[in-house]
Amino acid sequence: YLLKERLYRLGHAVKRSFDDSKIRQEKRNSEAKLVQSEEKYSSLIEQLPVGVYRSDKNGFILGSNSTFRTLFEIDPTIQRPFR
């Protein structure tokens, strides 16, 4: 929004608008690349022929691949410590 009495600020306002638009576009691109990277990583882990899991400091499984779940007969919907 720009008042007629302040038209001298028009150039700055237009530049800022373009800069803001560029920043929003770069953020969307970065977020899309992150999602692609996460999907690629998940796919890689899921296809490994060895069991892989991730746990917290208390031993609760935060994530695992299907080979791990099959080997240890773990239901992925139940969170429990793995020891």
Side-chain angles (χ1 to χ4, degrees), residues 3-78:
L3 298 174
K4 284 184 189 180
E5 300 86 41
R6 297 186 179 156
L7 286 180
Y8 63 91
R9 297 182 65 197
L10 179 61
H12 175 72
V14 170
K15 182 181 181 324
R16 181 173 178 198
S17 178
F18 279 120
D19 290 346
D20 290 348
S21 176
K22 182 179 178 182
I23 290 169
R24 285 191 304 272
Q25 183 62 42
E26 288 173 352
K27 182 179 178 184
R28 283 191 295 268
N29 290 343
S30 294
E31 289 170 349
K33 286 180 183 180
L34 178 62
V35 167
Q36 287 175 342
S37 177
E38 289 172 344
E39 289 171 351
K40 192 177 188 179
Y41 172 78
S42 293
S43 176
L44 175 67
I45 296 298
E46 189 60 36
Q47 294 175 19
L48 286 173
V50 295
V52 177
Y53 76 99
R54 193 172 56 106
S55 65
D56 65 11
K57 65 181 179 180
N58 298 316
F60 282 92
I61 297 173
L62 302 173
S64 62
N65 67 354
S66 60
T67 305
F68 180 84
R69 292 188 300 272
T70 300
L71 285 171
F72 294 97
E73 299 176 351
I74 294 176
D75 182 349
T77 62
I78 299 172

